[in-house]
Amino acid sequence: MTHRPDLIDPGRLAAEAPPAHHTFGPDVLAGIRERAELGRYPIRGWGARRAVPDFDDLLLLTASASRYPLEGYRERCDTRTVFGARRAARPVVLDIPITIAGMSFGSLSANAKEALGRAASMVGTSTTTGDGGMTPEERSASRTLVYQCLPSRYGFNPTDLRAADAVEIVLGQGAKPGGGGMLLGQKVGARVAGMRTLPEGVDQRSASRHPDWTGPDDLKIKIEEIREVTDWQIPVYVKVGATRVDHDVRLAVAAGADVVVVDGMQGGTGATQDAFIEHTGIPTLAAVRLAGDALADLGLTTDVGLIVSGGIRTGADVAKALALGADAVSLGVAPLVALGCNAPTYRRRPVPPPDSAPTGASDSAYVEVDVSAEYAALGTAPGHCVHCHTGRCPVGVTTQDDTLAARLDPVLGATRVANYLRALAMETTMLARACGKSDVHRLEPEDLVALTVEAAAMARVPLAGTDWIPGR
Amino acid sequence: MCGIAGLHLKDHTYRERLGAMVAGMLRGVARRGPDSAGVAIHDDVPDVPDVPDVPGVPGVPGVPGVPGQAVPGVPAAPGAGLTVFREVGDPEEFAARIGLAGRAGVRALAHTRMATESAVTAAHCHPFVAGEERLCLVHNGSFANHATIRRRLAGLGIITETDNDSEVAAHWLAARRAAGDDLTTALRRLTTTFDGFFTLAVTTADSFAVVRDPIACKPAIIAETDHWVAVVSEYQALLGLPGLADAVVFEPEPEEVYLWAS
Ligand SMILES: Cc1cc2nc3c(=O)[nH]c(=O)nc-3n(C[C@H](O)[C@H](O)[C@H](O)COP(=O)(O)O)c2cc1C
Ligand code: SF4
């Protein structure tokens, strides 16, 4: 598909002008025109863009007279997070409770995958493969690499499985629970096609259901099979898109998962139908409490880990997610932004004159190249782009085009993502210390209040200034 | 926040004087906790009555929040008497009402409370008593993660009576003891399980222990002679104790478990 800048893009309109709240707002009109023009559903990247109750609707009750805060620099506040110690010989040990989510090589460029792997290793956390398999760059750059097992099975093989530090069985994603992966033809380049044993340049819609099992009873057998292949060495995660969270978490535990990953409706995607992104699943805020309570009810909070994702941006989001029961969070879109997504420029190292001696230029020596015009060519602008599905990413993050991909320097990119992750960890410990916690995992729902009745009902914490929890 | 006092007799010839000694210690920490008070007295004489003679309300369960009404003495473990009084109101009046100065025993805890987050009722008063062995605990400070620990205990079928943070610690310790920890191990584990600031004094039918959090901001002084060992929140609460001039007086170290057993 060639991109048609003359078509009105719903994502762009939604971003530029907040949708008017009437039945036929400008975004709705744009969507109708796109469907009429193309005879198919609108497709885009990123997650839900409409306002849903989220972590911004919660506040932390930090210490004052009845409780005491811990000092920032002297008094410890642990962030170490361990997954799978009960069953796996090699549990996953993370220095911070902030991980990088599964994003496929195909949706992301090889440089982006490598940069994320390097960044995760720099801060002692994990990164995750995605639909389409494991690249050698990603494996060698990542200290801890989680290998996804998706319905498509693209790029899934026993060799890479044994090279992984954990395996994540994906039942669904928050952006499209019940739907399968999607990679449009313009991103199915030779290397991607080879890894997926597909023809080049053809739109690819992945399966939405695993081919060899359905239901939790079979999942139990699948997990045993994976444990045997990996000789009980590595933890097994199960990822679900947040819909019937209470049931799904209990079933994942019953099937033998070491970690349940719950991805809320705001969760990002490389390319998905807009109807899925905006109209399926439940907000991350509601999902984390349901999942945390389900695990607590099973008495397994310390045994089975909970990773939550979908719209996590700041250390405050992390602290609140942990308080509601998560052991760690997982990030998709945010590290892409740290890599340069939606920035007006990309950064590259200066090319030295041909006859000059090597300068040993540091990572901070780079030049900025403006690419605003390329955003405009996509029908968008820096700050409003959700066009990952086009493969024409102006900053080289979500593309398979060699020229575009070369705009992302994996070393420079890794430094920025590592800085971002470190800053999130610092914010999280700062808030945990202010709540008197010597470990970020000791944040609890009682440390939170809600700003809105909706958030109070979903997170099951009192409305600020009251002791009222809706429904209690 | 609160005042704590604990006394353990090494020399049981002091048995008849225990109540008077504790009454003086309680007076010394009274201003730290004006809203309610409590004492637990262990005795080694088996014929101590289970239900103490409380003026006005013999054997009647305490009515929360009403000054002058006591939680009656709890039944003693076999061979070792334990009597507990807990009341809302001025600590010194409380001590007079229960005739503390005239009571005998071999080990005691006392507490004066300035409530932080939970209500002021008799049921919220320290000492908290938990588990089959009727472990007693007094706490100065506040915990920061007790809600999670309370939920975990509830998952084990251990239900706290109140929403008080210190009560969670008492039940948690009793649960660790029931799981086989000795008291020192259980208290050491407590320092890494509970967040917050605390000085705790704990008694059982045969032991007396003190522990502080890793930062140890809440005050604590231990004095020890050949005849007794005492812990208090403030030095002045030790002043009436016999033989204090010869006592070894020290501030307990953070995260160190101090334990005396008879
Ligand atoms: C570009 C992109 C590609 C993705 N690819 C996959 C994938 O291959 N498999 C998967 O399970 N989730 C995939 N996701 C979803 C992420 O794993 C994660 O659930 C989501 O991004 C979390 O929400 P956030 O983006 O708001 O942080 C992708 C997300 C993005 C943004
Ligand atoms: S800048 Fe690139 S990664 Fe970011 S939304 Fe646009 S296409 Fe996607």
mmCIF file of all heavy atoms in Angstrom, chain A residues 65-70 75-76 289 301-302 435-439 442-447, chain B residues 1 116-117 141-149 151-152 192-197 214-215 218:
data_model
loop_
_atom_site.group_PDB
_atom_site.id
_atom_site.type_symbol
_atom_site.label_atom_id
_atom_site.label_comp_id
_atom_site.label_asym_id
_atom_site.label_seq_id
_atom_site.Cartn_x
_atom_site.Cartn_y
_atom_site.Cartn_z
ATOM 1 N N ALA A 65 3.181 12.546 59.653
ATOM 2 C CA ALA A 65 3.409 12.363 61.088
ATOM 3 C C ALA A 65 3.102 10.940 61.544
ATOM 4 O O ALA A 65 3.787 10.391 62.388
ATOM 5 C CB ALA A 65 2.564 13.349 61.889
ATOM 6 N N SER A 66 2.066 10.329 60.971
ATOM 7 C CA SER A 66 1.699 8.994 61.438
ATOM 8 C C SER A 66 2.642 7.938 60.888
ATOM 9 O O SER A 66 2.750 6.848 61.434
ATOM 10 C CB SER A 66 0.254 8.670 61.059
ATOM 11 O OG SER A 66 0.136 8.430 59.671
ATOM 12 N N ARG A 67 3.321 8.245 59.778
ATOM 13 C CA ARG A 67 4.328 7.333 59.222
ATOM 14 C C ARG A 67 5.553 8.157 58.878
ATOM 15 O O ARG A 67 5.469 9.372 58.766
ATOM 16 C CB ARG A 67 3.821 6.655 57.954
ATOM 17 C CG ARG A 67 2.595 5.821 58.230
ATOM 18 C CD ARG A 67 2.248 4.996 57.039
ATOM 19 N NE ARG A 67 1.000 4.298 57.288
ATOM 20 C CZ ARG A 67 0.518 3.328 56.540
ATOM 21 N NH1 ARG A 67 1.192 2.946 55.475
ATOM 22 N NH2 ARG A 67 -0.611 2.741 56.846
ATOM 23 N N TYR A 68 6.657 7.470 58.655
ATOM 24 C CA TYR A 68 7.903 8.200 58.437
ATOM 25 C C TYR A 68 8.483 7.848 57.081
ATOM 26 O O TYR A 68 8.528 6.696 56.686
ATOM 27 C CB TYR A 68 8.920 7.841 59.519
ATOM 28 C CG TYR A 68 8.312 7.591 60.860
ATOM 29 C CD1 TYR A 68 8.013 6.305 61.257
ATOM 30 C CD2 TYR A 68 8.017 8.647 61.721
ATOM 31 C CE1 TYR A 68 7.431 6.065 62.495
ATOM 32 C CE2 TYR A 68 7.437 8.410 62.946
ATOM 33 C CZ TYR A 68 7.137 7.118 63.337
ATOM 34 O OH TYR A 68 6.562 6.873 64.538
ATOM 35 N N PRO A 69 8.982 8.864 56.359
ATOM 36 C CA PRO A 69 9.639 8.586 55.079
ATOM 37 C C PRO A 69 11.067 8.077 55.298
ATOM 38 O O PRO A 69 11.647 8.276 56.366
ATOM 39 C CB PRO A 69 9.665 9.962 54.411
ATOM 40 C CG PRO A 69 9.690 10.940 55.540
ATOM 41 C CD PRO A 69 8.958 10.303 56.690
ATOM 42 N N LEU A 70 11.620 7.436 54.295
ATOM 43 C CA LEU A 70 13.033 7.042 54.333
ATOM 44 C C LEU A 70 13.844 8.075 53.562
ATOM 45 O O LEU A 70 13.376 8.657 52.587
ATOM 46 C CB LEU A 70 13.215 5.660 53.709
ATOM 47 C CG LEU A 70 12.500 4.523 54.440
ATOM 48 C CD1 LEU A 70 12.744 3.195 53.726
ATOM 49 C CD2 LEU A 70 12.959 4.435 55.885
ATOM 50 N N GLU A 75 19.288 5.632 52.923
ATOM 51 C CA GLU A 75 18.511 4.480 53.371
ATOM 52 C C GLU A 75 18.035 3.678 52.171
ATOM 53 O O GLU A 75 17.481 4.222 51.228
ATOM 54 C CB GLU A 75 17.369 4.974 54.266
ATOM 55 C CG GLU A 75 17.953 5.508 55.552
ATOM 56 C CD GLU A 75 17.028 6.375 56.387
ATOM 57 O OE1 GLU A 75 15.845 6.490 56.053
ATOM 58 O OE2 GLU A 75 17.519 6.934 57.382
ATOM 59 N N ARG A 76 18.255 2.377 52.260
ATOM 60 C CA ARG A 76 18.096 1.558 51.063
ATOM 61 C C ARG A 76 16.622 1.437 50.679
ATOM 62 O O ARG A 76 15.724 1.478 51.516
ATOM 63 C CB ARG A 76 18.739 0.187 51.289
ATOM 64 C CG ARG A 76 17.881 -0.822 51.965
ATOM 65 C CD ARG A 76 18.655 -2.056 52.386
ATOM 66 N NE ARG A 76 18.072 -2.588 53.607
ATOM 67 C CZ ARG A 76 16.997 -3.372 53.629
ATOM 68 N NH1 ARG A 76 16.423 -3.746 52.515
ATOM 69 N NH2 ARG A 76 16.490 -3.791 54.769
ATOM 70 N N ARG A 289 -5.418 -4.237 39.291
ATOM 71 C CA ARG A 289 -6.020 -4.576 40.589
ATOM 72 C C ARG A 289 -6.664 -5.965 40.541
ATOM 73 O O ARG A 289 -6.540 -6.762 41.471
ATOM 74 C CB ARG A 289 -7.053 -3.512 40.972
ATOM 75 C CG ARG A 289 -7.672 -3.713 42.365
ATOM 76 C CD ARG A 289 -6.662 -3.365 43.436
ATOM 77 N NE ARG A 289 -6.844 -4.096 44.685
ATOM 78 C CZ ARG A 289 -7.178 -3.543 45.850
ATOM 79 N NH1 ARG A 289 -7.371 -2.261 45.943
ATOM 80 N NH2 ARG A 289 -7.283 -4.271 46.930
ATOM 81 N N THR A 301 1.084 -14.543 45.798
ATOM 82 C CA THR A 301 1.720 -13.275 45.442
ATOM 83 C C THR A 301 3.235 -13.371 45.446
ATOM 84 O O THR A 301 3.893 -12.680 44.701
ATOM 85 C CB THR A 301 1.303 -12.141 46.392
ATOM 86 O OG1 THR A 301 0.850 -12.725 47.581
ATOM 87 C CG2 THR A 301 0.256 -11.263 45.768
ATOM 88 N N THR A 302 3.773 -14.194 46.288
ATOM 89 C CA THR A 302 5.229 -14.236 46.325
ATOM 90 C C THR A 302 5.798 -15.311 45.402
ATOM 91 O O THR A 302 6.990 -15.385 45.194
ATOM 92 C CB THR A 302 5.732 -14.490 47.748
ATOM 93 O OG1 THR A 302 4.984 -15.583 48.279
ATOM 94 C CG2 THR A 302 5.540 -13.270 48.614
ATOM 95 N N CYS A 435 6.909 6.847 50.987
ATOM 96 C CA CYS A 435 5.854 6.061 51.646
ATOM 97 C C CYS A 435 6.440 5.184 52.755
ATOM 98 O O CYS A 435 5.731 4.344 53.323
ATOM 99 C CB CYS A 435 5.134 5.175 50.630
ATOM 100 S SG CYS A 435 4.107 6.086 49.467
ATOM 101 N N GLY A 436 7.734 5.327 53.036
ATOM 102 C CA GLY A 436 8.352 4.572 54.130
ATOM 103 C C GLY A 436 8.735 3.154 53.775
ATOM 104 O O GLY A 436 8.906 2.319 54.661
ATOM 105 N N LYS A 437 8.898 2.846 52.483
ATOM 106 C CA LYS A 437 9.137 1.460 52.071
ATOM 107 C C LYS A 437 10.621 1.224 51.786
ATOM 108 O O LYS A 437 11.229 1.999 51.029
ATOM 109 C CB LYS A 437 8.357 1.121 50.808
ATOM 110 C CG LYS A 437 6.929 1.619 50.794
ATOM 111 C CD LYS A 437 6.010 0.849 51.716
ATOM 112 C CE LYS A 437 4.625 1.461 51.663
ATOM 113 N NZ LYS A 437 3.619 0.682 52.349
ATOM 114 N N SER A 438 11.145 0.123 52.306
ATOM 115 C CA SER A 438 12.539 -0.204 52.041
ATOM 116 C C SER A 438 12.669 -1.079 50.795
ATOM 117 O O SER A 438 13.757 -1.515 50.450
ATOM 118 C CB SER A 438 13.158 -0.915 53.243
ATOM 119 O OG SER A 438 12.514 -2.159 53.425
ATOM 120 N N ASP A 439 11.551 -1.353 50.154
ATOM 121 C CA ASP A 439 11.547 -2.127 48.921
ATOM 122 C C ASP A 439 10.352 -1.632 48.114
ATOM 123 O O ASP A 439 9.259 -1.491 48.673
ATOM 124 C CB ASP A 439 11.396 -3.621 49.257
ATOM 125 C CG ASP A 439 11.571 -4.520 48.039
ATOM 126 O OD1 ASP A 439 10.992 -4.208 46.978
ATOM 127 O OD2 ASP A 439 12.281 -5.534 48.145
ATOM 128 N N ARG A 442 6.982 -3.208 48.369
ATOM 129 C CA ARG A 442 6.151 -3.111 49.572
ATOM 130 C C ARG A 442 5.113 -2.001 49.477
ATOM 131 O O ARG A 442 4.357 -1.788 50.421
ATOM 132 C CB ARG A 442 7.038 -2.918 50.792
ATOM 133 C CG ARG A 442 7.828 -4.179 51.064
ATOM 134 C CD ARG A 442 8.544 -4.112 52.368
ATOM 135 N NE ARG A 442 9.301 -5.338 52.573
ATOM 136 C CZ ARG A 442 10.121 -5.523 53.575
ATOM 137 N NH1 ARG A 442 10.298 -4.565 54.462
ATOM 138 N NH2 ARG A 442 10.762 -6.659 53.702
ATOM 139 N N LEU A 443 5.093 -1.282 48.374
ATOM 140 C CA LEU A 443 3.966 -0.367 48.140
ATOM 141 C C LEU A 443 2.697 -1.209 48.119
ATOM 142 O O LEU A 443 2.700 -2.342 47.643
ATOM 143 C CB LEU A 443 4.156 0.363 46.810
ATOM 144 C CG LEU A 443 5.242 1.450 46.829
ATOM 145 C CD1 LEU A 443 5.703 1.776 45.417
ATOM 146 C CD2 LEU A 443 4.730 2.704 47.525
ATOM 147 N N GLU A 444 1.592 -0.676 48.648
ATOM 148 C CA GLU A 444 0.368 -1.461 48.752
ATOM 149 C C GLU A 444 -0.841 -0.593 48.424
ATOM 150 O O GLU A 444 -0.727 0.646 48.403
ATOM 151 C CB GLU A 444 0.259 -2.092 50.154
ATOM 152 C CG GLU A 444 0.494 -1.125 51.290
ATOM 153 C CD GLU A 444 0.760 -1.798 52.648
ATOM 154 O OE1 GLU A 444 0.849 -3.020 52.742
ATOM 155 O OE2 GLU A 444 0.853 -1.043 53.626
ATOM 156 N N PRO A 445 -1.990 -1.203 48.136
ATOM 157 C CA PRO A 445 -3.162 -0.406 47.746
ATOM 158 C C PRO A 445 -3.512 0.649 48.785
ATOM 159 O O PRO A 445 -4.020 1.715 48.435
ATOM 160 C CB PRO A 445 -4.282 -1.444 47.624
ATOM 161 C CG PRO A 445 -3.610 -2.752 47.434
ATOM 162 C CD PRO A 445 -2.270 -2.655 48.097
ATOM 163 N N GLU A 446 -3.244 0.365 50.052
ATOM 164 C CA GLU A 446 -3.548 1.322 51.114
ATOM 165 C C GLU A 446 -2.712 2.593 51.003
ATOM 166 O O GLU A 446 -2.977 3.562 51.709
ATOM 167 C CB GLU A 446 -3.338 0.660 52.482
ATOM 168 C CG GLU A 446 -4.404 -0.367 52.859
ATOM 169 C CD GLU A 446 -4.266 -1.710 52.138
ATOM 170 O OE1 GLU A 446 -3.277 -1.905 51.403
ATOM 171 O OE2 GLU A 446 -5.163 -2.560 52.313
ATOM 172 N N ASP A 447 -1.697 2.603 50.152
ATOM 173 C CA ASP A 447 -0.909 3.821 49.933
ATOM 174 C C ASP A 447 -1.546 4.741 48.897
ATOM 175 O O ASP A 447 -0.975 5.781 48.568
ATOM 176 C CB ASP A 447 0.509 3.455 49.464
ATOM 177 C CG ASP A 447 1.280 2.708 50.540
ATOM 178 O OD1 ASP A 447 1.232 3.148 51.694
ATOM 179 O OD2 ASP A 447 1.904 1.682 50.227
ATOM 180 N N MET B 1 4.858 9.225 69.919
ATOM 181 C CA MET B 1 3.785 8.308 69.512
ATOM 182 C C MET B 1 3.308 7.464 70.682
ATOM 183 O O MET B 1 2.126 7.291 70.893
ATOM 184 C CB MET B 1 4.288 7.305 68.463
ATOM 185 C CG MET B 1 4.829 7.968 67.263
ATOM 186 S SD MET B 1 3.538 8.160 66.082
ATOM 187 C CE MET B 1 4.467 8.900 64.778
ATOM 188 N N THR B 116 -1.901 6.648 66.275
ATOM 189 C CA THR B 116 -1.490 7.261 65.011
ATOM 190 C C THR B 116 -2.604 7.127 63.986
ATOM 191 O O THR B 116 -3.251 8.111 63.640
ATOM 192 C CB THR B 116 -0.194 6.640 64.487
ATOM 193 O OG1 THR B 116 -0.310 5.222 64.475
ATOM 194 C CG2 THR B 116 0.976 7.069 65.335
ATOM 195 N N GLU B 117 -2.861 5.908 63.506
ATOM 196 C CA GLU B 117 -3.835 5.770 62.419
ATOM 197 C C GLU B 117 -5.086 5.010 62.827
ATOM 198 O O GLU B 117 -6.098 5.105 62.149
ATOM 199 C CB GLU B 117 -3.182 5.080 61.219
ATOM 200 C CG GLU B 117 -2.094 5.940 60.585
ATOM 201 C CD GLU B 117 -1.492 5.339 59.322
ATOM 202 O OE1 GLU B 117 -1.920 4.261 58.889
ATOM 203 O OE2 GLU B 117 -0.568 5.974 58.767
ATOM 204 N N GLY B 141 6.270 3.346 67.623
ATOM 205 C CA GLY B 141 6.611 3.617 66.234
ATOM 206 C C GLY B 141 5.397 3.378 65.368
ATOM 207 O O GLY B 141 4.262 3.414 65.843
ATOM 208 N N SER B 142 5.644 3.148 64.081
ATOM 209 C CA SER B 142 4.530 2.753 63.222
ATOM 210 C C SER B 142 5.089 1.962 62.054
ATOM 211 O O SER B 142 6.225 2.165 61.635
ATOM 212 C CB SER B 142 3.737 3.972 62.739
ATOM 213 O OG SER B 142 4.426 4.636 61.700
ATOM 214 N N PHE B 143 4.282 1.026 61.563
ATOM 215 C CA PHE B 143 4.689 0.207 60.427
ATOM 216 C C PHE B 143 4.164 0.818 59.135
ATOM 217 O O PHE B 143 3.167 1.558 59.141
ATOM 218 C CB PHE B 143 4.154 -1.221 60.583
ATOM 219 C CG PHE B 143 4.760 -1.974 61.736
ATOM 220 C CD1 PHE B 143 3.966 -2.456 62.765
ATOM 221 C CD2 PHE B 143 6.124 -2.185 61.799
ATOM 222 C CE1 PHE B 143 4.518 -3.151 63.827
ATOM 223 C CE2 PHE B 143 6.692 -2.878 62.860
ATOM 224 C CZ PHE B 143 5.883 -3.359 63.880
ATOM 225 N N ALA B 144 4.839 0.494 58.031
ATOM 226 C CA ALA B 144 4.450 1.088 56.747
ATOM 227 C C ALA B 144 3.935 0.058 55.752
ATOM 228 O O ALA B 144 3.505 0.423 54.665
ATOM 229 C CB ALA B 144 5.631 1.841 56.141
ATOM 230 N N ASN B 145 3.992 -1.223 56.094
ATOM 231 C CA ASN B 145 3.503 -2.230 55.129
ATOM 232 C C ASN B 145 2.644 -3.292 55.802
ATOM 233 O O ASN B 145 2.549 -4.418 55.329
ATOM 234 C CB ASN B 145 4.679 -2.886 54.397
ATOM 235 C CG ASN B 145 5.607 -3.643 55.333
ATOM 236 O OD1 ASN B 145 5.661 -3.340 56.525
ATOM 237 N ND2 ASN B 145 6.326 -4.606 54.810
ATOM 238 N N HIS B 146 1.993 -2.898 56.909
ATOM 239 C CA HIS B 146 1.226 -3.899 57.653
ATOM 240 C C HIS B 146 -0.015 -4.360 56.913
ATOM 241 O O HIS B 146 -0.507 -5.456 57.161
ATOM 242 C CB HIS B 146 0.854 -3.358 59.032
ATOM 243 C CG HIS B 146 0.181 -2.025 58.987
ATOM 244 N ND1 HIS B 146 0.887 -0.856 58.756
ATOM 245 C CD2 HIS B 146 -1.111 -1.666 59.101
ATOM 246 C CE1 HIS B 146 0.045 0.165 58.754
ATOM 247 N NE2 HIS B 146 -1.172 -0.299 58.956
ATOM 248 N N ALA B 147 -0.556 -3.541 55.997
ATOM 249 C CA ALA B 147 -1.794 -3.937 55.311
ATOM 250 C C ALA B 147 -1.557 -5.203 54.487
ATOM 251 O O ALA B 147 -2.376 -6.129 54.489
ATOM 252 C CB ALA B 147 -2.304 -2.809 54.422
ATOM 253 N N THR B 148 -0.418 -5.241 53.806
ATOM 254 C CA THR B 148 -0.095 -6.422 53.003
ATOM 255 C C THR B 148 0.122 -7.642 53.898
ATOM 256 O O THR B 148 -0.361 -8.736 53.599
ATOM 257 C CB THR B 148 1.176 -6.153 52.173
ATOM 258 O OG1 THR B 148 0.928 -5.020 51.331
ATOM 259 C CG2 THR B 148 1.546 -7.347 51.321
ATOM 260 N N ILE B 149 0.828 -7.437 55.019
ATOM 261 C CA ILE B 149 1.112 -8.570 55.903
ATOM 262 C C ILE B 149 -0.192 -9.063 56.556
ATOM 263 O O ILE B 149 -0.410 -10.258 56.704
ATOM 264 C CB ILE B 149 2.177 -8.175 56.943
ATOM 265 C CG1 ILE B 149 3.477 -7.821 56.203
ATOM 266 C CG2 ILE B 149 2.402 -9.292 57.951
ATOM 267 C CD1 ILE B 149 4.515 -7.115 57.047
ATOM 268 N N ARG B 151 -3.087 -9.008 55.173
ATOM 269 C CA ARG B 151 -3.789 -9.814 54.161
ATOM 270 C C ARG B 151 -3.167 -11.205 54.055
ATOM 271 O O ARG B 151 -3.863 -12.203 53.901
ATOM 272 C CB ARG B 151 -3.730 -9.129 52.791
ATOM 273 C CG ARG B 151 -4.936 -8.242 52.514
ATOM 274 C CD ARG B 151 -4.962 -7.817 51.060
ATOM 275 N NE ARG B 151 -3.870 -6.935 50.719
ATOM 276 C CZ ARG B 151 -3.855 -5.635 50.966
ATOM 277 N NH1 ARG B 151 -4.897 -5.058 51.532
ATOM 278 N NH2 ARG B 151 -2.821 -4.892 50.643
ATOM 279 N N ARG B 152 -1.820 -11.268 54.139
ATOM 280 C CA ARG B 152 -1.178 -12.587 54.041
ATOM 281 C C ARG B 152 -1.583 -13.453 55.231
ATOM 282 O O ARG B 152 -1.829 -14.649 55.083
ATOM 283 C CB ARG B 152 0.336 -12.441 54.007
ATOM 284 C CG ARG B 152 0.778 -11.815 52.713
ATOM 285 C CD ARG B 152 2.185 -12.255 52.313
ATOM 286 N NE ARG B 152 2.531 -11.524 51.098
ATOM 287 C CZ ARG B 152 3.552 -10.693 51.002
ATOM 288 N NH1 ARG B 152 4.391 -10.557 52.000
ATOM 289 N NH2 ARG B 152 3.772 -10.053 49.881
ATOM 290 N N THR B 192 13.301 -7.631 58.819
ATOM 291 C CA THR B 192 13.429 -7.533 57.366
ATOM 292 C C THR B 192 12.071 -7.640 56.672
ATOM 293 O O THR B 192 11.980 -7.434 55.469
ATOM 294 C CB THR B 192 14.367 -8.631 56.813
ATOM 295 O OG1 THR B 192 13.869 -9.899 57.234
ATOM 296 C CG2 THR B 192 15.780 -8.446 57.315
ATOM 297 N N THR B 193 11.033 -7.988 57.425
ATOM 298 C CA THR B 193 9.706 -8.150 56.824
ATOM 299 C C THR B 193 8.856 -6.898 56.974
ATOM 300 O O THR B 193 8.096 -6.546 56.082
ATOM 301 C CB THR B 193 8.983 -9.344 57.480
ATOM 302 O OG1 THR B 193 9.807 -10.500 57.374
ATOM 303 C CG2 THR B 193 7.638 -9.608 56.826
ATOM 304 N N PHE B 194 9.011 -6.231 58.118
ATOM 305 C CA PHE B 194 8.193 -5.044 58.387
ATOM 306 C C PHE B 194 8.975 -3.778 58.048
ATOM 307 O O PHE B 194 10.120 -3.619 58.470
ATOM 308 C CB PHE B 194 7.771 -5.002 59.860
ATOM 309 C CG PHE B 194 6.626 -5.923 60.180
ATOM 310 C CD1 PHE B 194 6.822 -7.299 60.252
ATOM 311 C CD2 PHE B 194 5.351 -5.422 60.409
ATOM 312 C CE1 PHE B 194 5.769 -8.158 60.545
ATOM 313 C CE2 PHE B 194 4.283 -6.272 60.704
ATOM 314 C CZ PHE B 194 4.495 -7.636 60.762
ATOM 315 N N ASP B 195 8.316 -2.878 57.299
ATOM 316 C CA ASP B 195 8.863 -1.542 57.089
ATOM 317 C C ASP B 195 8.279 -0.615 58.140
ATOM 318 O O ASP B 195 7.190 -0.857 58.667
ATOM 319 C CB ASP B 195 8.488 -1.029 55.703
ATOM 320 C CG ASP B 195 9.540 -1.384 54.663
ATOM 321 O OD1 ASP B 195 10.666 -1.738 55.070
ATOM 322 O OD2 ASP B 195 9.241 -1.307 53.474
ATOM 323 N N GLY B 196 9.005 0.472 58.391
ATOM 324 C CA GLY B 196 8.525 1.429 59.373
ATOM 325 C C GLY B 196 9.542 1.549 60.478
ATOM 326 O O GLY B 196 10.627 0.967 60.408
ATOM 327 N N PHE B 197 9.218 2.341 61.486
ATOM 328 C CA PHE B 197 10.137 2.562 62.594
ATOM 329 C C PHE B 197 9.558 1.901 63.818
ATOM 330 O O PHE B 197 8.361 2.018 64.085
ATOM 331 C CB PHE B 197 10.303 4.065 62.844
ATOM 332 C CG PHE B 197 11.064 4.773 61.745
ATOM 333 C CD1 PHE B 197 11.521 4.093 60.631
ATOM 334 C CD2 PHE B 197 11.329 6.123 61.827
ATOM 335 C CE1 PHE B 197 12.217 4.746 59.620
ATOM 336 C CE2 PHE B 197 12.025 6.789 60.822
ATOM 337 C CZ PHE B 197 12.464 6.099 59.722
ATOM 338 N N PRO B 214 15.989 -1.148 61.514
ATOM 339 C CA PRO B 214 17.355 -0.889 61.035
ATOM 340 C C PRO B 214 17.822 0.557 61.218
ATOM 341 O O PRO B 214 19.024 0.824 61.203
ATOM 342 C CB PRO B 214 17.277 -1.225 59.546
ATOM 343 C CG PRO B 214 16.081 -2.094 59.386
ATOM 344 C CD PRO B 214 15.129 -1.722 60.467
ATOM 345 N N ILE B 215 16.911 1.478 61.363
ATOM 346 C CA ILE B 215 17.322 2.879 61.497
ATOM 347 C C ILE B 215 17.316 3.301 62.967
ATOM 348 O O ILE B 215 18.108 4.142 63.383
ATOM 349 C CB ILE B 215 16.410 3.769 60.623
ATOM 350 C CG1 ILE B 215 16.599 3.359 59.162
ATOM 351 C CG2 ILE B 215 16.752 5.241 60.793
ATOM 352 C CD1 ILE B 215 15.554 3.860 58.230
ATOM 353 N N LYS B 218 13.302 5.393 66.967
ATOM 354 C CA LYS B 218 12.444 5.455 68.143
ATOM 355 C C LYS B 218 13.303 5.118 69.364
ATOM 356 O O LYS B 218 14.063 4.149 69.355
ATOM 357 C CB LYS B 218 11.265 4.471 68.023
ATOM 358 C CG LYS B 218 10.363 4.699 66.819
ATOM 359 C CD LYS B 218 9.952 6.136 66.616
ATOM 360 C CE LYS B 218 8.952 6.663 67.630
ATOM 361 N NZ LYS B 218 8.580 8.078 67.299
#
